[in-house]
């Protein structure tokens, strides 16, 4: 694997042989526009062909490609490779008939139904660029993404089904369209029986009717560097970053990971419990397993409560999954409801060979719990929307690297991971620093930020020339294992969902009664982190503080979405600032978490922290037992 760093061109050219190309590449690693690198330039291929048609041609037509299991709707469905190929080809025909051309963007705002995966593949089939928006985001967030991606068409559904009730996707979509400035002329809407919706004859078309009327279309070969998708992720501000993934490098990298990281062969089953709105869902609910000729399980439900903490074990056992992948938060939720693991014993889990965790730091207790009760290795691996696949982890298919609990394994091929100090000097093993990756990144990682080259450069490539700045801090230990500790920016991770505190602050500050606001993440036993907001009211404000807080909580829910789980907000007299005016969020976070904290040397007015400590003491009396500051 070290060849991927010492001779990446040879390593990745060999891996690329596993993909079907319409035209071979001219250059494996194109450095002509460094530090923006491109892979397999000159090559032409189609990702949908590699994910579907080629497997039918190779005799896998009758093998299940996608199994859908939806406890929230009480439905299941299985699509063979032949059936999925046909459904995708027809949907691609419907997109064409609606005027979608190669290079056009298509926004997909859908719940976890098979049609959502078909939508992604149908776009790929005709060279359209999909942008899936997670259903837990509210209309204004969807509107931001519509305005940035400027889609020719939107694919959506009448509703989603959450344990707390039916989510009116069509209502949210219509509201987003009324907020967006980019005009969207056409929407294809999937009617779900749980809650049908009215269609606007000017703009909306019924999904089933459109597909029935369409002719199936063939895969269109595109350049290896042609964008396959844009996936928006949170940055430090409320403006999301559109991560662009290409066709060629992505297909090559995911193909490699399926066998080598996940140890899943063609014909075997992978169950990834995530959502297609996140990168994990893109890579391991849809593209990875299908490119590999495996069977993917798509699950519409929660780890607990749909109906209970046995849900994942039932799915693994029922469909004989060999690899299972979820977020640590889901594992913690299961453990909370079933601490003895009683449910695990109810199912035959002999098919399961490995359990993969990512999305946030795995807490060692939960990892040990799962290892003990499941009797299979539990692999934490670290990755980001930007990279599309694991930066560090364990190659279950190649070598039996011992698991080091608390770490996220060792760098994967092509990633030269280093902990750097503020000046960019590599730190000795075991010292905490900013985690950076030496350029070039391997294939399948971000090709660009959608139409924003300068932000790409500034966010990732400027602080340490020659490196990609990951945004995470951590350690590379003496054995080469990577330990990811926390973000170095204002991004937080709530139940495995990446969110911008800056975005929440913008919503709070927009309120006419709010002078300023600070939002930071506080520890939570299940969700890992939860946002907490501190606000300072305008001097003219003389209303009811509790009513204002309630209104602000609702505002964040309406403008960012329920997924932000913004429920803690308090009024404080002032915010602590440095002398240069920067809010001391790190200190606030430590105080709220009841960690030890020191008075920052740069603080403008130290008395503010005493005032805030008093507010936290009132909120959580345990804080009073501890010294106010060390
Ligand atoms: N569409 C609409 N609303 C959604 C949604 C979706 N796709 N997903 C979540 N929401 C809503 C939920 O209904 C909930 O709303 P509520 O405040 O009205 O109850 C809110 O967003 C928060 O949802 P969630 O984060 O799922 O919290 P939860 O308390 O319902 O469940 C867990 C907690 C831990 C079970 C759940 O967060 C989980 O399974 N997380 C795993 C995340 C994951 O897979 N991440 C991908 C990275 S690998
Ligand atoms: P996302 O882009 O939504 O996948 O979120 C990526 C971020 O989640 C990373 O930058 C990390 O902060 C965090 N993350 C993902 N996987 C891990 C992991 N295995 N350990 C620690 N943090 C992780």
């Amino acid at each position: 694997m070290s060849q991927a760093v010492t001779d990446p061109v040879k390593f990745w050219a060999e891996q690329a042989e596993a993909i079907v190309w319409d035209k071979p590449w001219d250059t494996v690693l194109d450095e002509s526009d460094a530090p923006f690198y491109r892979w397999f330039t000159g090559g032409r291929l189609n990702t949908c062909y590699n994910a579907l048609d080629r497997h039918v041609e190779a005799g896998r037509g009758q093998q299940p490609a996608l199994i859908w299991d939806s406890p929230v709707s009480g439905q299941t469905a299985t699509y063979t490779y032949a059936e999925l190929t046909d459904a995708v080809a027809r949907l691609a025909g419907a997109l064409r008939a609606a005027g979608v051309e190669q290079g056009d963007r298509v926004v997909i705002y859908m719940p976890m139904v098979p049609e959502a995966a078909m939508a992604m593949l149908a776009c790929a089939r005709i060279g359209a660029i999909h942008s899936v928006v997670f259903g837990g985001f509210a209309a204004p967030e969807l509107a931001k993404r519509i305005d940035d991606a400027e889609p020719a068409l939107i694919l959506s559904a009448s509703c989603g089904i959450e344990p707390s009730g039916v989510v009116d996707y069509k209502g949210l979509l219509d509201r987003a369209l009324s907020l967006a400035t980019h005009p969207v002329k056409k929407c294809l809407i999937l009617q779900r029986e749980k809650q049908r919706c009215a269609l606007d004859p000017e703009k909306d078309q019924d999904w089933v009717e459109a597909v029935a009327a369409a002719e199936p279309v063939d895969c269109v070969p595109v350049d290896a560097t042609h964008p396959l998708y844009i996936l928006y992720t949170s940055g430090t501000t409320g403006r999301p970053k559109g991560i662009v993934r290409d066709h060629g490098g992505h297909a090559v990298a995911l193909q490699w990971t399926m066998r080598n990281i996940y140890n899943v062969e063609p014909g075997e089953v992978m169950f990834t419990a995530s959502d297609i709105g996140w990168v994990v869902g893109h890579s391991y609910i849809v593209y990875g397993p299908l490119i590999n000729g495996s069977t993917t399980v798509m699950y519409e439900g929660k780890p607990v409560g749909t109906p209970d903490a046995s849900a994942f074990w039932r799915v693994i056992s029922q469909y004989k999954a060999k690899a299972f992948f979820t977020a640590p938060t889901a594992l913690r939720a299961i453990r909370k409801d079933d601490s003895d693991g009683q449910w695990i014993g109810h199912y035959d889990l002999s098919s399961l060979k490995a359990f993969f965790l990512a999305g946030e730091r795995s807490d060692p207790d939960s990892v040990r719990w799962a290892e003990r009760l499941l009797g299979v290795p539990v692999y934490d691996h670290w990755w980001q929307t930007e990279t599309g696949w694991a930066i560090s982890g364990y190659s279950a298919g190649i070598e039996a690297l011992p698991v080091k609990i608390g770490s996220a394994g060792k760098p994967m091929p092509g990633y030269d991971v280093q902990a750097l100090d503020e000046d960019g000097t590599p730190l000795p093993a075991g010292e905490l620093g900013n985690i950076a990756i030496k350029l070039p990144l391997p294939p399948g990682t971000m090709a660009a930020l959608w139409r924003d080259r300068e932000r790409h450069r500034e966010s990732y490539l400027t602080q340490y020339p020659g490196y990609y700045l990951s945004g995470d801090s951590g350690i590379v230990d003496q054995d080469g294992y990577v330990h990811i500790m926390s973000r170095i920016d204002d991004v937080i991770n709530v139940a495995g969902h990446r969110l911008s505190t800056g975005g929440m602050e913008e919503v709070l500050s927009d309120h006419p009664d709010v002078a300023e606001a600070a939002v930071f993440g506080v520890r939570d036993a299940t969700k890992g982190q939860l946002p907490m907001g501190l606000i300072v009211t305008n001097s003219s404000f003389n209303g009811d503080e509790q009513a204002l807080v309630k209104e602000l909580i609702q505002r964040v829910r309406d403008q960012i979405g329920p997924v932000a789980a913004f429920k803690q907000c308090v009024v404080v007299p002032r915010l602590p600032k440095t002398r240069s005016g920067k809010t001391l969020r790190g200190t606030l976070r430590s105080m709220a978490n009841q960690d030890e904290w020191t008075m920052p040397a740069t603080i403008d007015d130290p008395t503010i922290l005493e005032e805030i400590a008093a507010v936290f003491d009132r909120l959580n009396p345990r804080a009073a037992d501890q010294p106010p500051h060390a």
Side-chain angles (χ1 to χ4, degrees):
M1 290 209 306
S2 60
Q3 190 194 39
V5 170
T6 54
D7 192 353
V9 168
K10 185 158 186 286
F11 180 87
W12 290 113
E14 278 171 22
Q15 310 316 322
E17 299 295 339
I19 291 299
V20 175
W21 297 82
D22 293 278
K23 174 185 172 295
W25 55 89
D26 300 324
T27 312
V28 177
L29 173 61
D30 182 348
E31 305 185 86
S32 59
D33 191 27
F36 304 99
Y37 295 86
R38 291 179 304 166
W39 288 91
F40 306 110
T41 43
R44 287 176 74 77
L45 78 164
N46 183 280
T47 298
C48 182
Y49 177 79
N50 276 281
L52 296 176
D53 307 57
R54 70 156 162 165
H55 302 308
V56 177
E57 289 165 16
R60 293 193 179 278
Q62 298 317 306
Q63 179 199 309
L66 186 149
I67 297 170
W68 178 56
D69 189 294
S70 169
V72 289
S73 68
Q75 291 171 288
T76 58
T78 299
Y79 295 83
T80 63
Y81 268 98
E83 288 164 342
L84 192 59
T85 306
D86 184 56
V88 168
R90 284 177 194 281
L91 179 56
L95 297 184
R96 272 269 180 77
V100 178
E101 299 292 339
Q102 180 175 337
D104 283 348
R105 275 78 57 214
V106 172
V107 162
I108 300 172
Y109 184 61
M110 293 188 73
M112 286 285 285
V113 291
E115 286 80 359
M118 290 171 193
M120 294 163 71
L121 292 158
C123 290
R125 194 169 188 87
I126 57 171
I129 305 164
H130 62 72
S131 185
V132 182
V133 179
F134 177 61
F137 283 122
E141 286 293 315
L142 176 57
K144 279 185 201 169
R145 288 154 175 80
I146 291 172
D147 279 340
D148 198 68
E150 302 184 317
L153 177 128
I154 297 187
L155 294 162
S156 190
S158 57
C159 72
I161 308 167
E162 284 290 302
S164 51
V166 172
V167 182
D168 177 15
Y169 271 58
K170 178 62 165 52
L172 288 162
L173 170 63
D174 285 342
R175 190 165 127 65
L177 290 175
S178 71
L179 295 171
T181 51
H182 171 72
V184 177
K185 295 197 186 74
K186 280 216 163 93
C187 300
L188 268 196
I189 307 292
L190 181 75
Q191 294 280 15
R192 299 189 78 187
E193 284 314 315
K194 187 85 183 172
Q195 180 177 294
R196 294 175 74 84
C197 62
L199 300 183
D200 170 357
E202 295 288 306
K203 146 177 97 57
D204 302 328
Q205 209 183 348
D206 179 84
W207 185 299
V208 174
E209 286 172 15
V211 171
E215 289 296 319
V217 299
D218 254 346
C219 297
V220 176
V222 295
D223 287 344
T225 53
H226 182 68
L228 169 66
Y229 67 77
I230 307 168
L231 181 57
Y232 288 91
T233 190
S234 301
T236 49
T237 68
R239 195 162 68 88
K241 295 169 168 171
I243 306 297
V244 177
R245 195 93 54 215
D246 64 13
H247 273 252
H250 175 252
V252 172
L254 289 194
Q255 169 82 69
W256 184 88
T257 63
M258 282 302 297
R259 294 188 188 183
N260 296 292
I261 297 184
Y262 300 102
N263 198 16
V264 175
E265 294 290 329
E268 294 181 333
V269 181
M270 179 162 196
F271 171 29
T272 299
S274 177
D275 190 287
I276 50 139
W278 307 112
V279 67
V280 170
H282 277 61
S283 295
Y284 296 110
I285 296 174
V286 182
Y287 287 114
L290 297 178
I291 287 172
N292 197 43
S294 306
T295 300
T296 184
V297 180
M298 184 179 201
Y299 172 80
E300 187 186 29
K302 299 274 170 178
V304 295
T306 58
D308 52 42
S310 75
F312 286 173
W313 319 131
R314 173 190 61 80
V315 171
I316 293 168
S317 143
Q318 192 167 337
Y319 305 115
K320 302 195 173 12
K322 184 178 184 192
F324 172 49
F325 182 171
T326 194
T329 188
L331 180 59
R332 288 194 296 269
I334 293 170
R335 194 177 156 209
K336 197 168 143 204
D337 276 17
D338 181 25
S339 55
D340 299 334
Q342 301 255 340
W343 280 118
I344 295 176
H346 283 64
Y347 293 95
D348 172 7
L349 300 179
S350 54
S351 64
L352 186 69
K353 298 294 174 241
F355 181 2
F356 297 87
L357 291 168
E360 55 177 317
R361 192 173 154 75
S362 292
D363 58 292
D365 274 359
S366 299
V367 172
R368 282 194 200 97
W369 180 87
E371 246 178 18
R372 181 169 57 79
L373 290 164
L374 292 169
V376 297
V378 178
Y379 297 120
D380 184 9
H381 58 333
W382 167 54
W383 48 308
Q384 309 181 310
T385 307
E386 286 84 345
T387 64
W389 60 285
I391 306 165
S392 72
Y394 298 83
S395 328
I398 305 179
E399 54 178 341
L401 182 68
V403 170
K404 197 182 260 201
I405 293 181
S407 90
K410 288 193 179 182
M412 289 291 105
Y415 291 103
D416 182 353
V417 180
Q418 301 185 15
L420 306 181
D421 71 9
E422 284 304 316
D423 301 327
T425 310
L427 289 162
E431 279 193 28
L432 183 71
N434 292 340
I435 299 288
I437 305 164
K438 209 151 183 11
L439 295 172
L441 298 181
T445 53
M446 70 187 288
L449 269 192
W450 179 246
R451 289 181 175 161
D452 204 342
R453 199 171 152 95
E454 277 323 297
R455 194 175 182 200
H456 183 180
R457 197 193 296 275
E458 275 165 35
S459 305
Y460 302 103
L461 308 172
T462 304
Q463 182 164 343
Y464 300 124
Y467 288 88
Y468 162 85
L469 179 71
S470 73
D472 285 314
S473 73
I475 288 164
V476 181
D477 72 18
Q478 63 283 6
D479 302 318
Y481 286 78
V482 178
H483 304 243
I484 298 300
M485 310 311 283
S486 62
R487 292 286 306 189
I488 54 177
D489 52 17
D490 296 329
V491 165
I492 57 170
N493 202 313
V494 178
H497 310 309
R498 175 168 158 183
L499 297 162
S500 159
T501 54
M504 293 184 223
E505 284 177 8
E506 284 169 25
V507 174
L508 299 178
S509 306
D510 268 356
H511 191 285
D513 291 330
V514 174
E516 54 180 346
V519 177
F520 46 89
V522 291
R523 267 198 299 276
D524 179 75
T526 305
K527 296 198 174 190
Q529 279 185 304
L530 279 174
M532 170 177 253
L534 299 190
I535 57 150
V536 179
T537 57
N538 278 324
S539 52
S540 57
F541 177 76
N542 58 8
D544 177 354
E545 284 187 359
Q546 281 321 306
L548 175 63
V549 162
K550 219 170 140 201
E551 191 189 334
L552 290 170
I553 288 174
Q554 189 60 39
R555 259 190 183 223
V556 174
R557 191 177 168 91
D558 292 344
Q559 294 196 25
I560 294 183
V563 69
F566 183 78
K567 292 180 178 151
Q568 308 176 77
C569 181
V570 278
V571 180
V572 292
R574 292 170 296 160
L575 290 177
K577 302 258 172 87
T578 61
R579 281 188 281 277
S580 59
K582 215 167 164 260
T583 303
L584 289 157
R585 289 185 187 76
T587 311
L588 289 172
R589 187 172 47 236
S590 303
M591 291 170 76
N593 280 332
Q594 303 182 17
D595 291 339
E596 290 217 332
W597 56 277
T598 47
M599 184 66 74
T602 53
I603 194 163
D604 181 34
D605 175 1
T607 60
I608 300 176
L609 287 185
E610 305 292 347
E611 291 170 16
I612 289 177
V615 173
F616 287 147
D617 287 352
R618 277 203 303 280
L619 275 180
N620 187 347
R622 275 192 308 130
D625 304 336
Q626 305 196 357
H629 55 86

